Amino acid sequence: MGGRILELRVHGVSNTPPAETLGLTGEPGGEPPQPRLVAGGPVTGFYRLPTAAPLDPIVVEAYSWGQLTSGARTARDVERALWTLLLPFTLANVALHARPGIPADPTTERLASRSGVTAWLIRLFCLSLTATPVLAMTGVGVDLIGWQCVDEVCLSRVPGPWEFLAGAWWQQGGRALAVGLTVPLAMIGVLGLVTWRTYQYEAVMPADPTTNPVGRRTPPPADADVPVGQPTPEPPPLPEPPPGTPTNPLQDPTFWCGEGQLRRTAVLHLCTGTVVAAAVPLGTVTVLDPPQGARAVVTWAAAAAFTAVLTVTLVAIGRPFLTQREGASPLGRWSIAVIILTGLGVAGTFAVLLLTDAATGSALAELRPPAGCDQDPTQPGCRTDRSLPGFDRVVAWLGTGQLLLLIAIGATARSGRRGGATPAAAALLIALGAAWCHGWLPAAPPSPVALWQFALPLLALAGIGLLLPRTRPTTVKQPLEPHTDLAWRGQAPAVIAGFGWLLCLAYSNGVLYWFTNRLNGGDTPGGRSLVFLPTPVTWAGLTFAATLLMLALVAIRAAVLFHQLRRREYAQLSARGGRLSAHDLRRARDVSTHQALHRLVGEHALRLTGWYAAAMAVLAVLGCAAVLARPLPLNGTDGPTVVIKAVANVGDALLGWLPVAVAAVGLLVYRKNTIRRSVGVVWDVGTFWPRAAHPLAPPSYAERAVPELLTRTAGLIALAEHDPRRVDGIILSGHSQGTVICTAVILQMPNRWRRRIWFFSYGCQLTRLYGRIFPAYFGPDRLPVLAEVLTRPGGGTRWTNFWRDTDPLGWSVTAGERDIAVTDPEALHPSDGEVADPPIRSHSGYPEAAEFQRERSRVAWLLRRAVPSPRRGLG
């Protein structure tokens, strides 16, 4: 068996079938031969060619992991499609891993450091992001259904048996609010159920090949008698020496094993969402109709329980026992205490809402809409906005606080603690200004200006922190290659989390618009409405239309850039070969299109995204100032008002259908490869990272893929010499996203197994995408760590990268030993008797290239030479 080499291929996005990964092709009009499963199962498995023999010098094996995210056209695809609705949580979770300055050893990170403060702010933002859809569903259940719908006609328009709330007993006090509270609590329960179901999704495989699985015979001890003619079993390998100081966070042995951390953070998020939902009706009843006697005791006890939950949560998200990944650790006493306190607070809330005092309910009844407005909308109070008092302020301040958190995240990630000082000061001044405007400051004169006039300049002041100079590393780094600097001026965490925030707001506002329109009998919100939206939400349609307009402008700029790049590439191609035929000129246009896309994505895409993020930041500042001012004026008949109303109505309609559209696209992503290839990059980048910041995000496929690959590679190398499955070297061959997975596997691998590994990367995004957005893992000072662990004893690195100038997602990587440019296409016209044009392979088909085949033969020879031949026995 000596000299046997295994090429283990790991595909990228699109759930490439194993047959395509192995290069199997069938006869014209027939089905290609099916590969043979040699390890794993139907979800994740290792496949070989059906003709592979034990004596083949080079064996090709494909690892298929795509069904972890892409499915196989089964019923579970529907469940996975619903994961797209959790995309805001995914982006917030990715933001944690985009921090610059993460220490190589995560256990050494301190809360007072730049990365520690940024991590705490991101986790705090994730908590507020969980509260956003909870608050939206609270608005649906408590405000729209429980408070504003007071007759059967309105309640009959809601799916479900809600008409009983129109009864006299349920209209007393806050009893209808208690029923409406079940809507957000039901959503929290669904989120908890989905999170619990994904624990089994992230099954961690054993990574130590020396561990004896169940059912495998244990080798006899060294002094046992061995039958004549049988080979002597190899002694177990020597224990791995203690590892040195980690030089990359991906070397952390618990990086892909954080089930305990996930459970603890899920408890905090779900309990915080429950507190937010219950606090709205509890606070409304307490302020508008203060309870007396026993109800007062229960009220303040529930408020104390909720305060304790929030206090423990705010402290816990910055403590190492929560933020460090420690495998399958138990919940702990603090998590259990949070669960108990939350349950007691919810029970107290329902008791306060359902049990009324003798005279309670009169104050609440006067503030609610009158009954019978559907039949007679002209009676007093029907056309007046009588939404839940104070709810609009809660929504406005939550959005303003989230914006300040995003500014603080970006400023701290770029400039350290000095960058976070400006948004912190602005937040304090905004809070003082709000207290002054509402007359809450004792002995203070009346405020001469409105609240929004305070907020607008102070939010602009907070944004100054984003413009401070970037904190420079203390050590001198090597010169950077073109287009490998930090993305978005080092503010990638804020940009990524900000897009998640905007999408979450769009979802939440869309749900509120849909229910309001339904309860109004199909009337457009802002027309003859009888059920009113919260004041801040009235601006959402206009703001959403503005975001789409800006997105269109960025798309137009990208199209202009693409056209310019294509003309430039076409001019170079047409001048390269002298006089070209009409056929060659047509082919040159096709090739220049792919080359222009390669340059557009690699050189301009992140910059265009940064422009759009900057425009969104300005729009968010103006939007927060607007929601703190007053509702959107839509009652006028002048020209500008009519235009604004029309634009807002279009935005409202789009917002209402946005969650449905995203879920539909998610379903198509899992069922159609064409759409999968278009949006799969964003999805697979997001779900690659473990859920270390937001536990309600979709599960990470790498939690399963990386340990499985690690177990397979190390297990095959560790087999006994005479085992027919044993290999002497492995070429770990990763394509596109597979290169990222292979990088994580190599950095987790012990040194004794790395010596017989060679890394092939093609269609690789480690420099232009991952290196710029995730510098702590793949930046110019961290990517060379991969080259160091693959360094050969005699010099050189066991790493070869292949790239094409027609590949929009594959670029050059100079950190390895060899960086090979693959010619694509092989020629502009057919040759050697062929009648079809050589294909433009772009991002696919690297193993079929002649450069790949030559390099694989060379590497196989080097790996064989590194393994000594077995000594012959004496006769």
Side-chain angles (χ1 to χ4, degrees):
M1 303 304 110
R4 195 181 189 208
I5 304 300
L6 174 68
E7 182 193 351
L8 181 53
R9 295 179 183 175
V10 184
H11 67 80
V13 300
S14 305
N15 189 19
T16 307
E20 184 178 339
T21 304
L22 294 172
L24 288 174
T25 57
E27 296 296 332
E31 293 292 334
Q34 294 302 313
R36 178 166 51 94
L37 180 67
V38 295
V43 178
T44 58
F46 296 83
Y47 297 83
R48 293 187 183 180
L49 296 171
T51 58
L55 297 179
D56 291 343
I58 299 180
V59 179
V60 181
E61 186 172 291
Y63 174 59
S64 176
W65 58 268
Q67 291 192 45
L68 292 174
T69 57
S70 298
R73 293 178 173 88
T74 61
R76 194 178 179 188
D77 287 352
V78 178
E79 178 184 350
R80 287 168 172 162
L82 294 178
W83 286 352
T84 55
L85 297 177
L86 303 179
L87 184 57
F89 300 159
T90 303
L91 295 175
N93 183 72
V94 172
L96 182 74
H97 300 281
R99 292 171 295 147
I102 300 176
D105 185 1
T107 60
T108 62
E109 186 177 68
R110 297 295 177 263
L111 181 59
S113 64
R114 178 180 65 163
S115 62
V117 173
T118 307
W120 184 79
L121 291 173
I122 291 175
R123 289 191 171 96
L124 186 60
F125 172 78
C126 288
L127 279 173
S128 70
L129 204 65
T130 301
T132 301
V134 171
L135 201 60
M137 297 308 295
T138 305
V140 171
V142 176
D143 182 15
L144 299 181
I145 298 177
W147 180 267
Q148 296 192 53
C149 278
V150 295
D151 51 30
E152 293 185 0
V153 176
C154 179
L155 293 170
S156 63
R157 295 168 181 162
V158 185
W162 298 95
E163 291 85 349
F164 70 93
L165 291 179
W169 189 86
W170 288 102
Q171 290 297 314
Q172 296 179 7
R175 289 168 178 166
L177 303 184
V179 179
L181 181 59
T182 60
V183 174
L185 294 182
M187 189 199 73
I188 294 171
V190 171
L191 289 176
L193 179 61
V194 171
T195 305
W196 177 80
R197 284 174 56 88
T198 58
Y199 290 149
Q200 297 180 352
Y201 178 95
E202 297 176 341
V204 178
M205 300 296 294
D208 188 358
T210 62
T211 303
N212 294 313
V214 177
R216 179 173 295 182
R217 294 182 62 182
T218 303
D223 55 352
D225 294 333
V226 180
V228 178
Q230 295 294 330
T232 303
E234 291 184 353
L238 296 176
E240 184 76 11
T245 303
T247 52
N248 192 303
L250 289 174
Q251 294 174 307
D252 182 12
T254 63
F255 190 87
W256 303 107
C257 184
E259 181 180 342
Q261 181 200 34
L262 180 62
R263 292 175 184 269
R264 293 190 297 269
T265 52
V267 167
L268 295 181
H269 276 253
L270 295 174
C271 290
T272 300
T274 303
V275 169
V276 170
V280 171
L282 181 65
T284 300
V285 172
T286 303
V287 173
L288 298 181
D289 193 9
Q292 305 293 328
R295 288 183 69 247
V297 175
V298 177
T299 299
W300 293 112
F306 289 157
T307 304
V309 169
L310 295 179
T311 302
V312 172
T313 300
L314 293 178
V315 174
I317 60 175
R319 303 298 300 167
F321 75 89
L322 174 76
T323 58
Q324 293 179 2
R325 303 175 67 82
E326 298 176 352
S329 54
L331 284 179
R333 62 180 184 274
W334 286 108
S335 299
I336 297 175
V338 167
I339 295 175
I340 295 174
L341 288 173
T342 304
L344 294 175
V346 171
T349 300
F350 276 103
V352 172
L353 296 177
L354 293 175
L355 301 177
T356 61
D357 294 329
T360 190
S362 57
L364 298 180
E366 295 174 357
L367 297 173
R368 300 180 69 181
C373 287
D374 282 281
Q375 291 79 11
D376 184 14
T378 61
Q379 60 177 312
C382 287
R383 295 297 180 86
T384 306
D385 182 1
R386 295 203 173 189
S387 57
L388 189 68
F391 185 69
D392 53 348
R393 293 184 182 179
V394 174
V395 175
W397 283 111
L398 177 63
T400 305
Q402 289 173 327
L403 178 60
L404 289 171
L405 274 175
L406 287 172
I407 295 175
I409 289 170
T412 306
R414 174 176 171 83
S415 306
R417 286 176 292 181
R418 63 176 180 176
T422 304
L428 179 61
L429 292 176
I430 289 176
L432 292 176
W436 188 14
C437 291
H438 290 96
W440 296 341
L441 294 181
S447 174
V449 295
L451 178 58
W452 69 272
Q453 295 174 314
F454 271 115
L456 185 58
L458 290 177
L459 288 173
L461 174 65
I464 295 178
L466 300 173
L467 306 177
L468 295 178
R470 183 167 65 91
T471 302
R472 300 293 179 179
T474 56
T475 58
V476 179
K477 304 298 179 183
Q478 70 274 17
L480 296 179
E481 299 178 18
H483 310 291
T484 58
D485 56 332
L486 285 177
W488 309 310
R489 297 165 50 91
Q491 298 166 2
V495 173
I496 297 173
F499 283 126
W501 175 56
L502 294 177
L503 188 58
C504 188
L505 290 180
Y507 284 174
S508 302
N509 290 324
V511 170
L512 286 169
Y513 270 118
W514 187 88
F515 272 96
T516 303
N517 193 35
R518 182 70 178 263
L519 294 174
N520 282 322
D523 294 337
T524 303
R528 54 178 301 274
S529 301
L530 302 178
V531 174
F532 290 84
L533 284 166
T535 300
V537 184
T538 58
W539 289 92
L542 183 64
T543 305
F544 187 64
T547 60
L548 294 180
L549 176 62
M550 293 180 182
L551 183 61
L553 294 177
V554 173
I556 292 173
R557 174 57 180 166
V560 172
L561 275 175
F562 175 74
H563 180 67
Q564 295 174 350
L565 293 172
R566 184 173 57 180
R567 290 176 54 188
R568 193 176 308 164
E569 297 294 335
Y570 176 74
Q572 295 178 0
L573 281 174
S574 58
R576 188 181 305 170
R579 184 176 181 81
L580 300 179
S581 65
H583 175 274
D584 291 344
L585 291 176
R586 179 187 62 80
R587 289 278 289 167
R589 284 193 293 270
D590 297 338
V591 175
S592 64
T593 299
H594 289 82
Q595 292 177 341
L597 187 60
H598 169 83
R599 292 192 56 189
L600 178 67
V601 176
E603 299 175 7
H604 304 282
L606 291 184
R607 178 166 53 87
L608 292 174
T609 306
W611 289 356
Y612 185 65
M616 290 298 97
V618 175
L619 187 61
V621 169
L622 296 176
C624 285
V627 300
L628 293 174
R630 54 184 177 270
L632 185 65
L634 297 176
N635 296 324
T637 57
D638 55 324
T641 302
V642 172
V643 173
I644 292 176
K645 181 179 180 180
V647 174
N649 289 338
V650 172
D652 298 343
L654 294 176
L655 276 175
W657 285 101
L658 181 63
V660 179
V662 172
V665 171
L667 184 61
L668 293 176
V669 162
Y670 294 122
R671 298 182 63 89
K672 292 186 177 297
N673 288 336
T674 303
I675 300 178
R676 171 67 179 168
R677 290 187 178 96
S678 302
V679 301
V681 175
V682 176
W683 186 249
D684 281 348
V685 168
T687 55
F688 169 79
W689 298 102
R691 296 180 284 184
H694 206 301
L696 306 183
S700 166
Y701 60 87
E703 293 267 10
R704 181 169 176 177
V706 171
E708 283 189 354
L709 265 175
L710 187 58
T711 301
R712 180 66 176 169
T713 54
L716 290 176
I717 294 176
L719 290 173
E721 178 184 330
H722 297 278
D723 195 312
R725 299 169 298 171
R726 183 179 184 269
V727 295
D728 290 329
I730 295 178
I731 301 175
L732 200 56
S733 180
H735 173 238
S736 189
Q737 185 68 17
T739 62
V740 185
I741 298 175
C742 291
T743 299
V745 170
I746 294 171
L747 291 176
Q748 289 275 313
M749 191 176 294
N751 287 329
R752 66 179 181 270
W753 312 125
R754 291 193 191 120
R755 302 186 187 101
R756 293 159 68 180
I757 296 290
W758 199 292
F759 182 30
F760 275 8
S761 58
Y762 42 96
C764 178
Q765 302 115 27
L766 292 180
T767 53
R768 300 289 180 90
L769 177 61
Y770 277 88
R772 303 181 68 184
I773 300 178
F774 308 105
Y777 304 94
F778 306 101
D781 57 335
R782 293 290 170 85
L783 192 58
V785 174
L786 180 62
E788 294 173 4
V789 300
L790 292 174
T791 301
R792 293 183 287 171
T797 304
R798 297 184 295 273
W799 182 7
T800 305
N801 180 68
F802 305 88
W803 64 281
R804 298 186 179 116
D805 60 358
T806 58
D807 186 352
L809 296 175
W811 299 284
S812 173
V813 179
T814 59
E817 177 180 354
R818 291 165 63 84
D819 190 60
I820 300 176
V822 179
T823 303
D824 186 51
E826 298 176 357
L828 294 178
H829 50 268
S831 59
D832 300 331
E834 180 61 66
V835 296
D837 289 327
I840 303 174
R841 299 188 182 274
S842 186
H843 191 56
S844 61
Y846 277 93
E848 285 78 23
E851 295 89 345
F852 188 97
Q853 298 291 333
R854 287 194 298 266
E855 180 67 9
R856 191 180 70 166
S857 299
R858 185 187 77 90
V859 168
W861 178 78
L862 291 174
L863 288 175
R864 291 191 190 99
R865 190 180 65 171
V867 179
S869 301
R871 292 179 295 176
R872 297 182 180 179
L874 299 177

